[in-house]
């Protein structure tokens, strides 16, 4: 005959004892007795437990971020505009040169952080002047984005600072083969010589 651990009553059957626990001692029950009466299957207002749902959501978001960083064409670096990704990977093989100078300091593309950052556009072999393009539609903005920079016609973001042409005594020049270009629209071609110059006076 079951006896209640929370009061002195005893019961003829297990089911009567469970009914008593649920009706009289629900707030006092320990983990084992809560499972016994089914209290862990829902909270007090009858809704489903949210802990596993929240953990599942966090796991899905984490996996999505890791997948983007590992498998996106830019390796998750830079500010590459959605819908601007190159196409036909492997269909072309172009080379050109690039030089970037910010406040008198030349950016060294031979450093490891700039090497092989994308399958569509990259520097390789410790060489920091000659770039490679292996896809159609690689814009200058996309290329710079894979390296961790964002560029528009009048601004460049470098190491977390956005430099805007004509503000705070700043000049920004983005040219290809000596001509000013709109990075978002300009598609790199074989032999292009890219120059990005940012100066504060």
């Amino acid at each position: 005959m079951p006896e209640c651990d929370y009061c002195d009553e005893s019961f003829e059957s297990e089911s009567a004892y469970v009914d008593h626990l649920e009706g009289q001692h629900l707030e006092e029950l320990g983990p084992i007795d809560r499972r016994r009466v089914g209290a862990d299957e829902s909270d007090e207002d009858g809704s489903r437990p949210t802990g596993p749902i929240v953990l599942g959501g966090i796991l899905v978001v984490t996996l999505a971020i890791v997948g983007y960083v590992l498998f996106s064409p830019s390796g998750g670096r830079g500010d590459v505009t959605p819908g601007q990704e190159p196409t036909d990977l492997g269909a072309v093989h172009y080379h050109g040169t690039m030089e970037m100078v910010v406040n008198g300091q030349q950016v060294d593309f031979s450093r490891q952080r700039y090497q092989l950052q994308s399958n569509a556009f990259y520097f390789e072999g410790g060489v920091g002047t000659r770039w490679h393009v292996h896809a159609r539609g690689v814009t200058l903005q996309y290329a710079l984005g894979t390296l961790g920079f964002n560029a528009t016609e009048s601004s460049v973001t470098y190491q977390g600072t956005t430099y805007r042409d004509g503000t705070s005594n700043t000049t920004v020049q983005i040219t290809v083969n000596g001509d000013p270009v709109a990075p978002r629209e300009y598609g790199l071609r074989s032999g292009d010589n890219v120059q990005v110059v940012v100066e504060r006076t």
Side-chain angles (χ1 to χ4, degrees):
M1 179 180 297
E3 293 185 5
C4 181
D5 293 330
Y6 301 93
C7 64
D8 293 331
E9 288 191 55
S10 57
F11 302 90
E12 295 290 328
S13 68
E14 179 71 18
S15 63
Y17 175 48
V18 169
D19 289 342
H20 168 76
L21 288 176
E22 187 172 13
Q24 300 297 316
H25 304 291
L26 187 60
E27 298 298 319
E28 310 169 54
L29 298 180
I32 294 173
D33 287 332
R34 287 185 67 78
R35 282 194 295 275
R36 176 185 258 170
V37 300
D40 283 348
E41 293 174 10
S42 64
D43 58 22
E44 291 177 23
D45 65 359
S47 64
R48 298 183 64 117
T50 57
I53 295 170
V54 171
L55 286 175
I58 292 170
L59 181 61
V60 168
V61 170
T62 302
L63 289 174
I65 291 169
V66 170
Y68 173 75
V69 169
L70 293 177
F71 301 112
S72 72
S74 67
R77 295 178 57 98
D79 186 6
V80 178
T81 304
Q84 183 190 2
E85 284 76 19
T87 59
D88 300 330
L89 188 63
V92 299
H93 188 177
Y94 301 150
H95 299 112
T97 57
M98 182 180 290
E99 182 181 18
M100 182 171 177
V101 178
V102 179
N103 294 327
Q105 298 291 317
Q106 184 159 345
V107 178
D108 184 3
F109 294 123
S110 68
R111 293 175 60 195
Q112 185 61 39
R113 66 185 295 182
Y114 301 121
Q115 299 278 301
L116 297 170
Q117 294 300 311
S118 165
N119 292 324
F121 171 89
Y122 59 87
F123 293 96
E124 70 174 346
V127 177
T129 55
R130 184 177 192 233
W131 50 257
H132 301 255
V133 165
H134 283 279
R136 300 185 197 283
V138 174
T139 64
L140 180 54
Q141 186 178 53
Y142 176 90
L144 291 170
T146 68
L147 302 171
F149 315 122
N150 186 30
T152 69
E153 286 181 71
S154 60
S155 70
V156 171
T157 300
Y158 172 70
Q159 293 185 341
T161 300
T162 300
Y163 299 90
R164 297 186 191 286
D165 191 49
T167 62
S168 303
N169 299 319
T170 301
T171 59
V172 175
Q173 296 177 329
I174 302 170
T175 61
V176 176
N177 305 324
D179 297 321
V181 297
R184 181 181 175 91
E185 298 167 7
Y186 187 84
L188 291 174
R189 300 178 183 103
S190 186
D192 278 348
N193 175 22
V194 177
Q195 289 197 317
V196 179
V197 179
V198 177
E199 291 181 318
R200 271 188 177 163
T201 57

